[in-house]
Amino acid sequence: MQGQPADPAARPRRTRRPGRHPVRLCLPHEPPPLMTLDRSRDKTGTHHGDNTLEVLDDPLDHIGDWGPTGTDTGLFQLVPVRVERDLPLLSPWMNDPAVAAFWELSGPPAVTEYHLRAQLDGDGRSVPCIGVLDGTPMSYWEIYRADLDPLARHYPTRPHDCGLHLLLATVGDRGRGLGSILLRAVADLVLDNRPSSARVLAEPDLRNIPSVTAFLNAGFRFSAEVDLPTKRAALMVRDRSLRHLM
């Protein structure tokens, strides 16, 4: 099961399909967004413009303090990426053909390094992490502020929405329910550690049926089909208010 990078600008080889409007929602179930955020921001979190708005919480820069969580398959923890340590691990993962089909980060290690540094050198709105299960690195994650991400222009977001992308590294870990277990665990970590976040979002490629199914089995609900600049996606939502019912 694979997700996709949060920022399409990091994937220059993908282009929008001609003749399609960049935003099209099918079967929407969301109320209008609670507020519109001006995207002109500096690293302090201040929005600039006619009306200056201060973002009251910090970006996603304390994930390393979230600690481990127990799952049905063992003890799981998100460990923020360090390029020098993790690039030799991540670059081969990105060159797996099943992964490359959706992430489009195959090639020499410099391709993956560029993608990682774009997040690590940014303002903290997207954090790349290694997923460690019982002491073994086995997955790659991106935890991002969906309401501050460029993709927020393409579907209704709410303040402090967080998003997830997941890559399971080993073929043997795919297709047996592990992705759903970890998605639920990480969504719970987000909701437990970010009380301002009422929802966790994901936008897997609509063609990636195993990924969409894994999100559904993890307690996410299908909200809409969304035309993004790089793909047609399934907008998946896990609501804080429904987390113990699904």
Side-chain angles (χ1 to χ4, degrees):
M1 188 194 78
Q2 293 83 41
Q4 288 181 289
D7 186 351
R11 294 172 284 156
R13 290 169 293 175
R14 306 189 70 173
T15 58
R16 190 175 68 201
R17 289 166 289 176
R20 301 294 294 273
H21 192 279
V23 184
R24 179 168 177 259
L25 299 181
C26 302
L27 304 178
H29 299 295
E30 304 297 337
L34 299 183
M35 59 185 283
T36 300
L37 297 179
D38 182 348
R39 303 294 168 193
S40 177
R41 308 175 68 242
D42 62 22
K43 288 190 177 185
T44 67
T46 301
H47 293 254
H48 300 285
D50 294 336
N51 297 313
T52 300
L53 174 66
E54 193 76 18
V55 176
L56 297 180
D57 70 332
D58 59 321
L60 296 166
D61 54 0
H62 298 296
I63 291 178
D65 297 333
W66 289 3
T69 185
T71 74
D72 291 342
T73 58
L75 199 64
F76 181 80
Q77 185 167 3
L78 291 172
V79 179
V81 163
R82 286 168 40 198
V83 173
E84 293 75 12
R85 178 193 65 198
D86 299 323
L87 186 60
L89 183 71
L90 288 171
S91 182
W93 291 0
M94 294 298 181
N95 279 278
D96 180 329
V99 172
F102 293 100
W103 285 76
E104 295 191 354
L105 291 173
S106 61
V111 176
T112 300
E113 181 178 2
Y114 177 83
H115 177 74
L116 295 173
R117 290 198 184 279
Q119 297 174 80
L120 295 171
D121 296 340
D123 59 5
R125 69 181 67 185
S126 181
V127 179
C129 297
I130 300 292
V132 179
L133 183 62
D134 282 341
T136 301
M138 46 72 65
S139 55
Y140 171 71
W141 298 76
E142 290 173 353
I143 315 298
Y144 64 98
R145 279 286 297 270
D147 59 326
L148 303 180
D149 189 83
L151 294 182
R153 304 184 187 105
H154 302 287
Y155 53 75
T157 58
R158 301 177 188 174
H160 311 297
D161 279 348
C162 280
L164 303 179
H165 295 119
L166 164 63
L167 179 163
L168 290 180
T170 305
V171 173
D173 286 337
R174 303 171 195 162
R176 61 184 185 91
L178 180 60
S180 296
I181 292 172
L182 297 183
L183 285 168
R184 183 181 292 271
V186 172
D188 282 343
L189 279 172
V190 171
L191 296 173
D192 288 342
N193 288 278
R194 294 191 62 82
S196 59
S197 296
R199 307 187 306 172
V200 181
L201 308 182
E203 23 77 20
D205 194 305
L206 198 61
R207 301 168 300 166
N208 194 343
I209 301 302
S211 181
V212 174
T213 301
F215 279 103
L216 290 171
N217 291 337
F220 287 72
R221 59 182 174 84
F222 172 79
S223 175
E225 292 182 16
V226 188
D227 275 343
L228 302 180
T230 61
K231 63 183 178 182
R232 187 166 180 80
L235 180 60
M236 312 299 296
V237 179
R238 183 138 191 245
D239 303 274
R240 177 184 296 278
S241 60
L242 302 177
R243 64 186 292 203
H244 297 301
L245 303 177
M246 303 176 67

